[in-house]
Amino acid sequence: MQEEILLTPCFPFEDSDTFAFTGQDEEKWDFVLVSDIHEMGSEKEIKRKKFLDELSKKGFTIKKIEDRKLFYGVRAPKHFFRKYQWLLRNPDSRIQDLNAQQDVPVTTRIRIVNFILHNTVTPDLEKLRDLMKKNVFEAAFPLHEKEEVREFLKEKWARWRDIFCQQPIEKIRCYFGEKVALYFTWLGWYTYLLGFAAGVGLVVFVAGITVFNSSQVSKEICEANDTLMCPLCDQKCPFWLLADTCMYARVTHMIDNEGTVVFAMFMAIWATVFLELWKRQRAQVVTNWDLYGWDEDEEELAMELINNLQHEPRRYRHSYLRSTIVLLLVLLMINRRVALFLCDLEKPRTFSQHENNFTIKIFIFQFLTNFSSLIYIAFFLGRINGHPGNYVRIAGKWRLEECHPSGCITDLFIQMAIIMMLKQTISNVVEYLVPWLAHKIRKRQKRPKKKHLVLGEEEEVEDPCKKQWLINYQLNEVNIFSLFDEFLEMVIQYSFTTIFVAAFPLAPLLAFFNNLFEIRLDAIKMTRLRRRMVPRKTNDIGIWLQVLEAIGILAVIGNGLVIAITSDFIPVQVYKYTYSPCMKENNTAVDCLTGYINHSLSVFHIKHFEPDTNLAVEILDLVKNGTTVCRYRDYRNDEDYSYTVQFWHVFAARLAFLILFEHVALCVKLIAAWYVPDVPLSVKNHLLDEKHNNLRKELSMMEYSTEV
């Protein structure tokens, strides 16, 4: 069953997996609306008809095709696009004559139609968004088309074999719009510069491997066969020998050395240089697109007037009471719906403002979710649990857990390795397989129903549009935040790569290889597995730039805290330059770290264990065997277990290092930001020449009109 206004046929397909269109505008459909088949006279059927009537009044051409669902193809009249060109003096083709016949780019056309569809109001004061919430319409999407650009992207970009090839950013822009193109430009630039950080991190890690067996600290641990350590728990846990952690001690020294400190400083500088160079790269790209001075407010106002000439612009609003409520509710936020509700409560004026507000809320939540375990391991684990004989307990019963016997930096290293290797791999596999399987299932479930022919009846020729629309409908859904999810994933990864890199120097290397696959994975999803995204115009990556700058500052603080608090770098240096044999006697033959392990372990008398401690071995049996004490990692005396002078020396050194490291790193970041201009001189000179030429042209036209 088919009916249409100004019926226009589509041309046949070349194969079942592609969509065929010619270059004529009259043979293209801008959007497809999908609806269930509702009963005649039902409320949903009436609401659907009212909405389609409003589109018809605006001059839209509408075509209806019935299958298991109702499909409505809509095509906007040309006067919408001529008005757009005139109001904005057409930044796409620069025409000055309202009657000039020149098509707008497909991405601009889809964007305008999408805006009009979502801002068309029915007599019941309902928009498309309201109708979709009430299941009047199921979906609304632009069509993938079999055109040269898309076929090029499918064959030369969205392929695993092209993993090391350069991205066709201009063609991505022509098909998906500026916002998607800028995302892939940023991701490619981030991955490119990650290569340098990955190389340095690999050198630091390999350098740690070369001293695997030469560390004096590791040697003392491996030879400590008579050093009995206190149990790690108080219920059936045994005493253990320090030498049992020999292998872990060597692995720890691979990452806990002087090279790690240098690498942490390098990554703080790298993060700043990356952002400054990205600003320059963005300026060059958007200048080439003629979008450097693009104004979102002006474009949105133009589309609002095109849709409704009587429209009054929404005003900027701000309420301190509303902002306070939102700030308090953000702390209690548990999912996206709450974030969207808070964004609606703030009443943003434009889509970008709405997206920026949403980004901040979700990123804060995701950041705390992803980093809570790392923050706990790095800065709290094993530091607030007391000491043998006087442990801190939850509800007076459960004892807090200890760090790994070889130190908390080992726990942090293992956690980072799991995140950067296992979690990233599983995430990518799931990110690809879920939409791929969903597409296959949708394709199988939503095949067009076949018509059974009566004997002698000729088979009706199927409308090619039906096949095309069904193929698009069977693809996975997209929403306005589909690109947001991709950005969020990469920014969280950037956070892992920079903030705790002092505990895992291989983080940039693993992120680099992950991103090579991520680029092609996102390309495959967008071109082959998902419906076409609505192209959006922009000249930057929005609030994400401020988020990245904030992460750069957190990276300085985080790495400084890891080196000062989590690692043994500071205690080792304090011992080396204060208590070591090198400071007590002039003996160059002795390693300055000789005796460090014994110096860093405190003594505990086993008779002082708490009464409810249930040891694996009876205390009386230990006493009979001559064992009266065990050792634990801390700086306490063996009488009243108060802190020793060494503890305060180490504490002061940690604090001094933290202040010095962060001040030096932040100063270097500021110098790097000042030294590298945000906008290249070539871009500045190009804009200057453009203004100069425009002014000269205007002056010449004025003088010519005066003479005439």
Side-chain angles (χ1 to χ4, degrees):
M1 176 182 179
Q2 300 177 16
E3 68 178 62
E4 66 173 322
I5 305 170
L6 301 178
L7 180 63
T8 306
C10 287
F11 279 66
F13 298 92
E14 295 182 20
D15 56 71
S16 61
D17 293 325
T18 56
F19 320 124
F21 268 149
T22 66
Q24 300 290 333
D25 272 349
E26 290 78 5
E27 295 159 351
K28 290 187 177 182
W29 297 96
D30 298 315
F31 255 76
V32 171
L33 304 176
V34 184
S35 169
D36 287 324
I37 301 176
H38 304 126
E39 294 183 4
M40 292 292 294
S42 65
E43 181 182 4
K44 292 182 180 179
E45 195 269 342
I46 294 173
K47 289 180 179 293
R48 182 180 68 216
K49 187 175 184 302
K50 287 181 179 179
F51 182 78
L52 295 176
D53 287 343
E54 291 299 319
L55 294 182
S56 297
K57 292 176 183 177
K58 293 182 176 182
F60 275 81
T61 301
I62 304 175
K63 177 174 181 174
K64 174 183 175 183
I65 295 180
E66 182 176 337
D67 189 68
R68 298 180 189 274
K69 304 278 186 179
L70 292 179
F71 295 85
Y72 295 92
V74 298
R75 182 172 61 244
K78 290 185 177 180
H79 68 82
F80 283 154
F81 312 114
R82 290 201 296 268
K83 289 179 181 178
Y84 175 86
Q85 290 175 318
W86 179 256
L87 288 175
L88 298 180
R89 293 300 185 270
N90 192 19
D92 298 301
S93 59
R94 299 289 181 188
I95 67 168
Q96 298 293 329
D97 184 4
L98 181 61
N99 297 318
Q101 297 295 321
Q102 188 167 353
D103 293 338
V104 297
V106 175
T107 53
T108 301
R109 182 183 182 102
I110 294 175
R111 188 170 65 253
I112 295 172
V113 174
N114 176 72
F115 183 90
I116 295 173
L117 287 178
H118 283 82
N119 287 276
T120 295
V121 184
T122 68
D124 299 327
L125 302 180
E126 293 177 319
K127 296 183 178 180
L128 181 59
R129 179 183 177 185
D130 304 313
L131 298 177
M132 294 182 74
K133 286 182 178 179
K134 296 179 180 180
N135 295 322
V136 175
F137 289 102
E138 178 187 330
F141 52 86
L143 295 169
H144 279 297
E145 303 174 19
K146 185 183 179 183
E147 56 187 32
E148 182 182 353
V149 174
R150 181 171 183 260
E151 293 305 305
F152 179 90
L153 293 176
K154 287 177 64 176
E155 296 300 323
K156 302 297 183 182
W157 179 54
R159 295 273 189 181
W160 296 115
R161 68 189 181 196
D162 301 320
I163 192 170
F164 294 107
C165 297
Q166 190 173 1
Q167 297 187 85
I169 296 298
E170 190 58 35
K171 292 188 182 296
I172 297 172
R173 177 208 175 200
C174 292
Y175 192 79
F176 289 108
E178 288 80 7
K179 191 164 189 175
V180 172
L182 265 183
Y183 164 72
F184 282 104
T185 303
W186 174 83
L187 182 54
W189 188 251
Y190 167 46
T191 305
Y192 171 71
L193 289 184
L194 259 181
F196 297 97
V200 177
L202 183 61
V203 169
V204 171
F205 188 76
V206 171
I209 295 177
T210 59
V211 295
F212 189 80
N213 295 315
S214 61
S215 168
Q216 176 64 26
V217 176
S218 300
K219 286 181 180 179
E220 290 190 359
I221 292 177
C222 294
E223 295 171 357
N225 294 310
D226 57 351
T227 303
L228 188 69
M229 302 297 292
C230 297
L232 295 177
C233 70
D234 49 12
Q235 298 296 323
K236 297 293 184 181
C237 284
F239 292 86
W240 52 282
L241 296 176
L242 182 60
D244 294 342
T245 63
C246 175
M247 181 57 65
Y248 286 106
R250 291 175 175 174
V251 172
T252 299
H253 187 71
M254 288 167 47
I255 57 173
D256 193 1
N257 52 58
E258 292 82 355
T260 303
V261 179
V262 176
F263 184 57
M265 181 71 73
F266 168 82
M267 286 302 296
I269 301 171
W270 176 89
T272 300
V273 172
F274 158 65
L275 289 180
E276 294 304 315
L277 292 180
W278 160 248
K279 293 174 185 177
R280 293 170 60 85
Q281 179 74 2
R282 180 207 69 89
Q284 290 180 326
V285 170
V286 299
T287 300
N288 293 336
W289 294 347
D290 200 17
L291 289 177
Y292 190 85
W294 174 76
D295 187 348
E296 181 193 12
D297 285 338
E298 184 181 19
E299 169 140 332
E300 182 164 309
L301 289 172
M303 289 195 289
E304 286 173 345
L305 290 173
I306 292 171
N307 181 54
N308 180 10
L309 188 59
Q310 308 304 321
H311 180 271
E312 291 295 329
R314 286 179 293 174
R315 304 293 179 179
Y316 289 102
R317 298 180 180 180
H318 179 75
S319 168
Y320 289 103
L321 176 62
R322 188 185 301 119
S323 299
T324 303
I325 295 174
V326 169
L327 186 61
L328 294 175
L329 290 178
V330 164
L331 302 177
L332 305 176
M333 182 176 59
I334 58 174
N335 55 42
R336 292 196 173 202
R337 292 189 177 182
V338 176
L340 288 171
F341 168 76
L342 295 179
C343 290
D344 293 336
L345 188 64
E346 292 175 303
K347 301 185 182 301
R349 206 191 74 79
T350 64
F351 174 80
S352 292
Q353 291 176 350
H354 188 278
E355 188 177 45
N356 289 344
N357 295 344
F358 178 80
T359 297
I360 291 297
K361 295 174 180 60
I362 289 295
F363 175 77
I364 291 174
F365 174 70
Q366 290 291 336
F367 182 87
L368 294 177
T369 301
N370 284 278
F371 280 84
S372 57
S373 62
L374 291 175
I375 293 172
Y376 171 72
I377 292 172
F379 310 129
F380 298 98
L381 179 63
R383 289 172 180 79
I384 56 175
N385 58 334
H387 60 84
N390 186 25
Y391 286 113
V392 176
R393 300 180 183 274
I394 299 176
K397 184 177 181 181
W398 295 284
R399 173 182 158 187
L400 298 178
E401 61 181 331
E402 298 270 2
C403 287
H404 190 276
S406 60
C408 294
I409 194 71
T410 303
D411 295 281
L412 193 59
F413 174 85
I414 294 172
Q415 186 78 356
M416 282 291 295
I418 292 173
I419 290 173
M420 298 304 297
M421 296 175 65
L422 186 61
K423 184 179 178 181
Q424 275 196 151
T425 302
I426 294 176
S427 177
N428 280 341
V429 172
V430 171
E431 188 179 350
Y432 177 74
L433 286 182
V434 169
W436 183 81
L437 291 174
H439 172 53
K440 294 298 181 183
I441 294 172
R442 286 173 62 90
K443 192 174 182 180
R444 180 179 294 273
Q445 291 178 342
K446 298 178 179 181
R447 288 176 177 172
K449 60 183 181 181
K450 295 182 178 180
K451 181 179 179 180
H452 298 285
L453 300 177
V454 181
L455 184 62
E457 182 181 4
E458 294 184 2
E459 184 176 1
E460 182 180 353
V461 178
E462 184 180 61
D463 190 331
C465 290
K466 178 179 179 180
K467 191 173 185 180
Q468 181 205 15
W469 296 356
L470 282 172
I471 291 174
N472 277 268
Y473 177 63
Q474 289 163 359
L475 296 173
N476 295 306
E477 298 180 16
V478 296
N479 56 60
I480 58 175
F481 295 117
S482 293
L483 193 62
F484 164 84
D485 293 330
E486 310 299 344
F487 255 120
L488 178 64
E489 178 187 1
M490 288 295 97
V491 172
I492 290 294
Q493 183 217 67
Y494 176 82
S495 304
F496 283 127
T497 305
T498 54
I499 293 180
F500 287 103
V501 73
F504 192 64
L506 292 180
L509 180 66
L510 296 176
F512 173 76
F513 286 117
N514 173 83
N515 290 2
L516 292 178
F517 288 95
E518 183 70 29
I519 292 173
R520 305 303 159 180
L521 173 58
D522 291 344
I524 292 172
K525 288 191 300 183
M526 290 185 185
T527 57
R528 298 174 180 272
L529 301 178
R530 286 180 177 174
R531 297 170 187 164
R532 189 172 187 174
M533 296 179 66
V534 175
R536 299 196 179 276
K537 182 172 287 189
T538 187
N539 59 2
D540 58 35
I541 60 174
I543 198 68
W544 290 115
L545 182 61
Q546 285 72 39
V547 172
L548 292 171
E549 289 177 337
I551 292 172
I553 296 175
L554 289 177
V556 174
I557 299 173
N559 285 301
L561 288 172
V562 167
I563 297 171
I565 297 176
T566 313
S567 77
D568 287 334
F569 175 76
I570 298 301
V572 166
Q573 301 305 314
V574 170
Y575 177 81
K576 182 177 181 179
Y577 294 106
T578 307
Y579 302 101
S580 71
C582 297
M583 297 293 103
K584 296 180 180 179
E585 57 187 59
N586 188 16
N587 190 349
T588 57
V590 178
D591 191 300
C592 291
L593 294 182
T594 301
Y596 169 74
I597 292 300
N598 184 64
H599 180 267
S600 63
L601 296 177
S602 297
V603 176
F604 177 74
H605 298 277
I606 60 176
K607 64 182 179 181
H608 293 155
F609 272 119
E610 295 166 300
D612 57 348
T613 301
N614 187 9
L615 300 176
V617 180
E618 293 293 336
I619 294 180
L620 291 178
D621 294 336
L622 291 173
V623 174
K624 290 179 181 179
N625 294 331
T627 302
T628 59
V629 298
C630 61
R631 309 295 294 271
Y632 62 99
R633 289 170 61 93
D634 209 341
Y635 293 97
R636 295 177 182 271
N637 62 54
D638 60 352
E639 297 178 356
D640 59 357
Y641 304 111
S642 60
Y643 287 123
T644 62
V645 175
Q646 290 91 330
F647 169 84
W648 297 110
H649 285 175
V650 172
F651 178 82
R654 290 183 192 272
L655 184 61
F657 172 83
L658 180 63
I659 295 174
L660 181 64
F661 178 88
E662 293 185 355
H663 278 69
V664 171
L666 290 175
C667 287
V668 172
K669 282 173 64 68
L670 291 175
I671 293 172
W674 165 80
Y675 187 77
V676 182
D678 292 352
V679 182
L681 291 178
S682 60
V683 172
K684 291 183 177 180
N685 290 329
H686 172 79
L687 296 174
L688 183 66
D689 292 339
E690 191 176 64
K691 292 177 181 178
H692 179 264
N693 293 334
N694 289 338
L695 291 173
R696 175 181 288 178
K697 183 178 178 181
E698 292 291 334
L699 186 59
S700 299
M701 292 177 63
M702 185 194 73
E703 293 176 349
Y704 174 77
S705 61
T706 303
E707 292 176 359
V708 173

